Amino acid sequence: GLMSRVTQDPWALLTWYRVLAVGSLALLAWAVPRVASRAGQDPVEASALVVASPFVLVHGIGGLHNDLVLAALVVAALAVTRPGRWVPGALLVGVAAAVKAPGILGAVGVVLLSLGPGVSRLARLGRALAVGATGVVVLLAAGWLTGLGTGWIHALLVPEGERTQLAVTWVAGRWVRDLMVHFGPSGVTLADHVHPALLAKKVGLVALVLTAAWVALVRRTGSPARALSGAGLVLLAAVVLSPAGHFWYFLWCVPLLGCLPLRRPAHVALVAGIVTLGLTAPADAALRKVWLMDWSALAVILVPVVAGVAAALVERRRERAQAT
């Protein structure tokens, strides 16, 4: 809003928005090596995957969305969190949520990183409530200070009406509806009453909340690597279980996943996914190339899976050869 008051030139305004994205990339360049080192990953390799990857550059810098700002704030929140020191991380998570609501899920990582080993479930719950409350207060304060208020609450309902090929829940719900329709008029009537696609989206959100709660309350504490992998799992679940799915949504989880010491099959799948996502810029819905969007969505799903399975088979064959 501030930038739009400075200039009314759309090209200049677009440039200012990209300056904000470049600033976020600089914040990632600072935070990623620190988070990777704590996780036990090579900081140089993590920086290559996150800061210089084609996906981050194409959709984070070249795209029209603010998800890179969210990603940078979440990773920075994890970088500044230490055992017993959770307030700075909680504040940054609140700012990330003010940019985009899924940023609040970074609170799971802040909770786990700020707790020592062997803490009780009650202590976990107390810390989760403290971090979550701090993030929400920052979110509400940001709305009050900027004059935007809480209009974002109504905007959260927008994904329910979207039909995107990368939304696993919507695709599953559509398949269920098609199956119901095959049973004739009674199936059609049932589908009209149940609304399988909408129901699947709500089930996905419930599953996401349960995943975040399970990781926060059950994941072993006292190990930065375990805490960060738990946070990565929650952010990945947020992308997979989101009511709507877009290529740039993977910016929520890829920066953190790139900082983790993954097993070789998972690492190969991540690299394949990053490269594939880096080629999907022409599949933006604004260009209205439906066939390209469909094929790109299929590639984003299949290429990492095939690459990961192939790497797992090669690794298993190598282990058998060494054993014999």
Side-chain angles (χ1 to χ4, degrees), residues 66-75 77 88-108 110 131-143 146 148-153 155-156 235 252:
N66 56 5
D67 298 78
L68 187 63
V69 184
L70 177 154
L73 289 168
V74 168
V75 178
L91 294 175
L92 285 172
V93 163
V95 178
V99 173
K100 210 162 190 174
I104 198 67
L105 294 172
V108 174
V110 174
V131 173
T134 302
V136 171
V137 168
V138 172
L139 172 59
L140 296 176
T146 59
L148 296 175
T150 56
W152 55 269
I153 295 178
L156 292 177
L235 293 172
W252 305 350

Side-chain angles (χ1 to χ4, degrees), residues 38-300:
R38 295 181 67 190
Q41 170 70 314
D42 180 7
V44 175
E45 184 174 355
S47 298
L49 286 176
V50 177
V51 181
S53 74
F55 166 56
V56 172
L57 295 178
V58 167
H59 285 286
I61 300 297
L64 298 176
H65 309 279
N66 56 5
D67 298 78
L68 187 63
V69 184
L70 177 154
L73 289 168
V74 168
V75 178
L78 300 177
V80 300
T81 302
R82 293 290 187 276
R85 190 180 74 178
W86 57 269
V87 175
L91 294 175
L92 285 172
V93 163
V95 178
V99 173
K100 210 162 190 174
I104 198 67
L105 294 172
V108 174
V110 174
V111 170
L112 295 176
L113 286 171
S114 64
L115 292 172
V119 296
S120 65
R121 296 283 173 81
L122 186 60
R124 287 170 176 263
L125 181 60
R127 181 59 54 83
L129 292 175
V131 173
T134 302
V136 171
V137 168
V138 172
L139 172 59
L140 296 176
W144 176 70
L145 290 173
T146 59
L148 296 175
T150 56
W152 55 269
I153 295 178
H154 177 72
L156 292 177
L157 300 176
V158 172
E160 286 192 0
E162 290 190 82
R163 302 178 178 181
T164 50
Q165 297 294 341
L166 280 176
V168 175
T169 52
W170 177 78
V171 172
R174 187 188 62 180
W175 286 348
V176 172
R177 177 180 174 80
D178 292 343
L179 182 62
M180 288 180 174
V181 170
H182 280 298
F183 286 98
S186 59
V188 174
T189 303
L190 180 61
D192 290 339
H193 282 86
V194 175
H195 298 291
L198 182 58
L199 179 61
K201 289 184 177 185
K202 293 180 178 179
V203 170
L205 289 176
V206 172
L208 173 58
V209 172
L210 292 177
T211 300
W214 176 79
V215 171
L217 298 177
V218 177
R219 194 79 169 183
R220 181 164 60 90
T221 57
S223 168
R226 294 283 293 175
L228 291 168
S229 62
L233 174 63
V234 172
L235 293 172
L236 177 60
V239 177
V240 174
L241 298 175
S242 174
H246 298 287
F247 300 108
W248 52 90
Y249 279 14
F250 284 91
L251 285 168
W252 305 350
C253 63
V254 163
L256 182 52
L257 294 179
C259 295
L260 302 178
L262 303 173
R263 295 184 60 183
R264 183 166 181 77
H267 180 75
V268 170
L270 176 63
V271 173
I274 288 175
V275 173
T276 306
L277 284 165
L279 300 173
T280 58
D284 193 292
L287 299 179
R288 302 188 182 280
K289 296 182 179 180
V290 178
W291 64 270
L292 186 56
M293 292 172 58
D294 292 342
W295 281 103
S296 297
L298 187 63
V300 166

